[in-house]
Amino acid sequence: MKPIFWNKGKTYLSKNDKVLKLIIQEFNNEYLSINKNYYHCLLNSIIGQQISVAAASSIKKKFFSLKSNINPISVLKLDKKKMKTSGLSSQKISYIINLSEFFLSNKKFVNNINFYRETVIKEKLINIKGIGPWTIDMFLIFSLGKSNIFPVGDLGLRKAISKSYSNYNKVSERKLNLLYNKWTPYNTVATWYLWRSIDPKPINY
């Protein structure tokens, strides 16, 4: 499902940023795909923490094959040794368990999450051990479809910015702030296309 702001974002960024205009033209028919399964999106984000897109994809595929229906209840019933066969570390298994318990004990919040402000969502999710700012940013982008998320801690994004805007040199915080302001209110669109510029396939969570 394509975000409702996507085409407006493409037009806005193409007018305001010559570098992004070329990237957008290259992948013009592609777009961010929203995952409305909040649990799966956060689970996928935990799997993807600090590993390559290819490695995360492999582990994700194996993990989701452990059960026909992956949800908080079924995951809590899984044996930890079985979970490890998918390639997950003990630490990430504990994070996934924490996430599952959160979903079962915070059903009202989860079911009404779209009605909360981003700051409230962040404050709530950050209390789950294993969920940090990067994971929350992935959730805001890929599940809630927020239009102006700039995951500044994402190594892939920094790599793409370095490649396209700094001739592969390290990008300063000042430069990142300038780009954030330049791309507002469509940082999510800019981020996705920059990811796409360095990855062989579109990223999904």
Side-chain angles (χ1 to χ4, degrees):
M1 180 177 142
K2 181 162 70 171
I4 57 172
F5 57 81
W6 200 255
N7 290 339
K8 282 186 178 180
K10 284 169 60 178
T11 301
Y12 177 88
L13 294 170
S14 295
K15 285 180 178 178
N16 289 281
D17 190 315
K18 292 178 181 178
V19 174
L20 268 178
K21 182 180 181 180
L22 294 175
I23 296 173
I24 290 169
Q25 286 175 344
E26 185 177 355
F27 304 102
N28 190 47
N29 295 322
E30 298 182 20
Y31 53 86
L32 164 67
S33 183
I34 300 296
N35 184 356
K36 283 297 181 182
N37 189 314
Y38 303 149
Y39 177 71
H40 282 183
C41 185
L42 282 164
L43 175 59
N44 291 335
S45 298
I46 289 173
I47 291 173
Q49 288 173 358
Q50 298 180 324
I51 59 175
S52 70
V53 173
S57 179
S58 174
I59 294 172
K60 193 192 310 180
K61 187 176 180 180
K62 291 174 185 175
F63 184 81
F64 275 80
S65 70
L66 296 177
K67 279 274 186 180
S68 58
N69 184 20
I70 292 292
N71 58 56
I73 295 173
S74 66
V75 166
L76 288 174
K77 290 179 179 177
L78 279 173
D79 181 75
K80 288 182 181 179
K81 288 182 180 178
K82 193 173 182 181
M83 292 170 78
K84 270 195 172 183
T85 63
S86 66
L88 286 169
S89 65
S90 298
Q91 189 176 48
K92 284 191 178 179
I93 289 171
S94 71
Y95 293 167
I96 289 170
I97 289 170
N98 293 341
L99 175 69
S100 303
E101 290 173 343
F102 174 87
F103 265 70
L104 291 177
S105 59
N106 292 272
K107 290 180 180 179
K108 184 179 178 182
F109 169 75
V110 171
N111 291 336
N112 295 284
I113 199 165
N114 267 313
F115 297 103
Y116 292 96
R117 296 191 312 275
E118 282 180 29
T119 51
V120 176
I121 294 169
K122 289 178 180 180
E123 286 168 4
K124 189 79 171 175
L125 294 180
I126 203 74
N127 288 315
I128 308 170
K129 189 174 181 182
I131 303 290
W134 178 86
T135 306
I136 294 171
D137 280 343
M138 297 306 104
F139 178 67
L140 293 172
I141 291 172
F142 288 96
S143 206
L144 297 189
K146 300 296 184 181
S147 67
N148 201 39
I149 305 302
F150 186 55
V152 71
D154 184 84
L155 296 179
L157 176 60
R158 284 182 176 255
K159 179 181 176 182
I161 292 173
S162 171
K163 175 189 172 186
S164 294
Y165 292 88
S166 192
N167 197 28
Y168 291 96
N169 293 310
K170 185 178 179 181
V171 183
S172 67
E173 295 302 314
R174 180 178 176 275
K175 178 67 174 177
L176 290 171
N177 286 331
L178 287 171
L179 289 174
Y180 171 80
N181 291 326
K182 187 177 188 179
W183 298 336
T184 296
Y186 296 111
N187 271 280
T188 294
V189 183
T191 295
W192 190 90
Y193 276 109
L194 282 161
W195 277 330
R196 188 68 186 90
S197 72
I198 62 168
D199 286 313
K201 292 181 180 180
I203 293 176
N204 290 298
Y205 283 104

